[in-house]
């Protein structure tokens, strides 16, 4: 009897999870849409939907268009059921954003970081200050926040508490979850920033509909998220996707990780600016930070042969890196994201051409190479989906 009850609870949670996930990603939908798309019976859908409406998780969103007869009601997740916070811990700033349950942005704040001084305690302090700031701006009680997702550079070792290894930042086994958790009782979910960008694009952007894709993050540093059969590939200890530290030129330029010839040493924003400075015979690149300096390089390319050559080389290097992804993973799509990729967006045709020269013909012809659709907020948006993904997996039961 006890086993039967446990089995029934398990089935019901699985049904709740399937229906909630479908509504979260594809709403508005009718009950009949849910029957067709999930394979659940009409009574099962009706019972679960009734429970979710009673709990305030799901709401009716008007009537669907009808050719006659009684119109069906559309359903969606209730935007004010709960709130989530997404954090992008970049190398030049910490961005904290608050979203409602329908992923509408309600409040945002940024804290600049000195790339030479990214102490974990400083980052944790910015995250905590940001949580307080965005909930205050939107007048949202912390009790109504489902959780905080945080995307960071480096390898995130998952365990009882998430630990971050980021050689480029000088972080070695940094207990980031413990540092932030000391200042908040909100549930914390920490992952690599490229992986959170990939999740955002899979759910809402350029990855929708793909089963096999690679999402490349190009910012100050470089990383990637590999999705196969709809699931992010993590490897033995969640370090899969460190694309920026694959070797592009053996014995080449020094990389911040300590190796030489890494892809990041050629196409990361800091590296591109360094190459431009060298091409200018040591003269400083105009701008007060990496973003303004990279923008200055792009603007100068219209009138400067030196700037044009640096960008052409960058497209070639990036194309070679993309070709490696295509040859290794055979994706349907390669999506380029991150703030530097957005600044360099006009290079996309040249990147495609360079990738075509380096990749094997058959997998290259099957793959599309495109820019991300969610812009510079993709990492924070994807981080905010981490507590929601847990909530959906657990059948909409708040812990």
């Amino acid at each position: 009897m006890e086993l039967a009850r446990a089995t029934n609870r398990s089935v019901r949670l699985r049904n709740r999870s399937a229906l909630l996930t479908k509504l979260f990603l594809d709403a508005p939908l009718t009950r009949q849409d849910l029957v067709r798309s999930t394979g659940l019976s009409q009574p099962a859908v009706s019972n679960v939907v009734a429970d979710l409406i009673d709990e305030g998780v799901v709401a009716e969103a008007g009537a669907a268009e009808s050719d006659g007869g009684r119109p069906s009601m559309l359903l969606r997740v209730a935007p004010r059921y709960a709130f989530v916070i997404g954090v992008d811990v970049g190398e030049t700033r910490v961005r904290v954003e608050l979203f409602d349950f329908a992923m509408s942005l309600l409040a945002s704040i940024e804290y600049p970081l000195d790339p030479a001084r990214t102490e974990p305690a400083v980052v944790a302090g910015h995250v905590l200050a940001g949580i307080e700031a965005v909930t205050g701006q939107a007048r949202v009680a912390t009790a109504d926040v489902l959780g905080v997702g945080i995307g960071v550079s480096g390898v995130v070792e998952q365990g009882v508490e998430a630990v971050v290894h980021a050689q480029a930042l000088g972080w070695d086994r940094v207990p980031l979850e413990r540092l932030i958790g000391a200042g908040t009782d909100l549930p914390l979910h920490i992952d690599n920033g490229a992986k959170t960008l990939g999740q955002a694009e899979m759910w809402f952007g350029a990855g929708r509909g793909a089963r096999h894709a690679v999402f490349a993050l190009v910012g100050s540093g470089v990383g990637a998220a590999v999705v196969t059969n709809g699931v992010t590939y993590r490897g033995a200890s969640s370090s899969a996707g460190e694309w920026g530290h694959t070797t592009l030129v053996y014995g080449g330029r020094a990389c911040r990780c300590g190796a030489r010839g890494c892809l990041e040493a050629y196409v990361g924003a800091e590296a591109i600016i360094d190459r431009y400075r060298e091409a200018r015979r040591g003269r400083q690149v105009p701008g007060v930070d990496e973003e303004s300096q990279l923008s200055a390089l792009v603007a100068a390319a219209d009138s400067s042969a030196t700037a044009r050559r640096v960008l052409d080389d960058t497209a070639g290097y990036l194309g070679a890196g993309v070709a490696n992804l295509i040859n290794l993973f055979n994706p349907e799509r390669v999506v380029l994201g991150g703030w530097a990729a957005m600044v360099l967006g006009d290079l996309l045709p040249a990147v495609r051409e360079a990738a075509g020269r380096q990749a094997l013909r058959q997998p290259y012809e099957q793959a599309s190479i495109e820019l991300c659709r969610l812009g510079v907020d993709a990492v924070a948006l994807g981080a905010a989906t981490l507590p929601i993904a847990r909530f959906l997996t657990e059948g909409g039961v708040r812990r």
Side-chain angles (χ1 to χ4, degrees), residues 80-146:
R80 305 293 291 186
Y81 170 74
F83 303 86
V84 286
I85 293 173
V87 182
D88 176 4
V89 178
E91 296 181 26
T92 58
R93 63 171 50 82
V94 174
R95 177 183 284 116
V96 183
E97 298 184 338
L98 175 72
F99 301 86
D100 67 15
F101 199 53
M103 300 310 294
S104 297
L105 180 63
L106 302 180
S108 178
I109 193 167
E110 288 187 355
Y111 300 92
L113 283 176
D114 179 350
R117 291 175 52 82
T118 50
E119 288 90 348
V122 172
V123 169
H126 288 330
V127 173
L128 291 169
I131 291 170
E132 184 175 352
V134 295
T135 52
Q137 286 175 31
R139 298 182 180 178
V140 168
T142 54
D144 293 328
V145 176
L146 195 61

Side-chain angles (χ1 to χ4, degrees), residues 127 131 147-150 176-182 184-190 390:
V127 173
I131 291 170
V148 181
I150 303 163
L176 189 61
E177 184 171 354
R178 186 188 311 161
L179 290 173
I180 298 171
T184 181
D185 292 328
L186 291 172
L188 302 175
H189 308 260
I190 302 177
R390 171 73 62 85

Side-chain angles (χ1 to χ4, degrees), residues 326-383:
I326 291 172
N327 289 345
L328 280 169
F329 301 111
N330 187 206
E332 301 163 61
R333 297 176 202 168
V334 177
V335 178
L336 301 176
W339 69 263
M342 297 294 98
V343 173
L344 299 170
D346 287 345
L347 296 183
L348 186 60
V351 171
R352 288 178 177 142
E353 184 180 337
R357 289 196 299 269
Q358 297 297 124
L360 292 170
R361 185 182 305 113
Q362 192 267 350
Y364 173 76
E365 289 174 350
Q366 289 184 337
S368 66
I369 303 168
E370 53 196 89
L371 287 176
C372 81
R373 296 179 189 168
L374 302 176
V376 296
D377 285 339
V379 173
L381 176 64

Side-chain angles (χ1 to χ4, degrees), residues 181-204:
T184 181
D185 292 328
L186 291 172
L188 302 175
H189 308 260
I190 302 177
D191 207 345
N192 170 267
K195 291 182 173 66
T196 69
L197 177 146
Q199 180 149 308
E201 290 290 336
M202 280 294 288
W203 282 20
F204 310 117

Side-chain angles (χ1 to χ4, degrees), residues 142-332:
T142 54
D144 293 328
V145 176
L146 195 61
V148 181
I150 303 163
V152 299
S153 301
V155 177
V156 180
E157 183 180 348
Q158 303 292 348
V160 177
E161 291 181 323
V163 174
V164 181
H165 308 259
Q167 285 177 229
L169 300 179
W171 289 15
D172 182 26
R173 292 192 57 81
V174 168
L176 189 61
E177 184 171 354
R178 186 188 311 161
L179 290 173
I180 298 171
T184 181
D185 292 328
L186 291 172
L188 302 175
H189 308 260
I190 302 177
D191 207 345
N192 170 267
K195 291 182 173 66
T196 69
L197 177 146
Q199 180 149 308
E201 290 290 336
M202 280 294 288
W203 282 20
F204 310 117
R208 278 183 67 89
R211 298 293 295 169
H212 303 275
V214 180
F215 301 91
L217 188 157
V218 183
S220 300
V222 176
V226 179
V227 174
T228 180
N229 281 320
V231 178
T232 300
Y233 177 70
R234 293 185 172 275
S237 58
S238 290
S239 74
E242 286 295 325
W243 176 54
H245 300 292
T246 56
T247 302
L248 182 69
V249 180
Y250 179 75
R253 298 176 64 88
C255 181
R256 299 178 304 165
C257 73
R260 302 191 73 88
C262 294
L263 178 67
E264 183 176 299
Y266 292 85
V267 303
E270 181 179 313
I272 296 170
I273 293 163
D274 281 345
R275 290 194 291 108
Y276 186 35
R277 185 182 302 111
E278 291 169 8
R280 287 162 54 89
R281 302 181 186 277
R283 286 186 294 129
Q284 288 300 308
V285 177
V288 297
D289 55 21
E290 287 183 0
E291 293 186 31
S292 58
Q293 289 176 317
L294 192 60
S295 296
L297 164 60
V298 172
D302 289 335
S303 56
S304 165
T306 299
R308 184 73 262 163
R309 185 170 64 252
V310 170
L311 289 183
D312 288 345
D313 289 345
T314 299
Y317 294 137
L318 192 51
V322 168
N324 287 340
L325 294 174
I326 291 172
N327 289 345
L328 280 169
F329 301 111
N330 187 206
E332 301 163 61

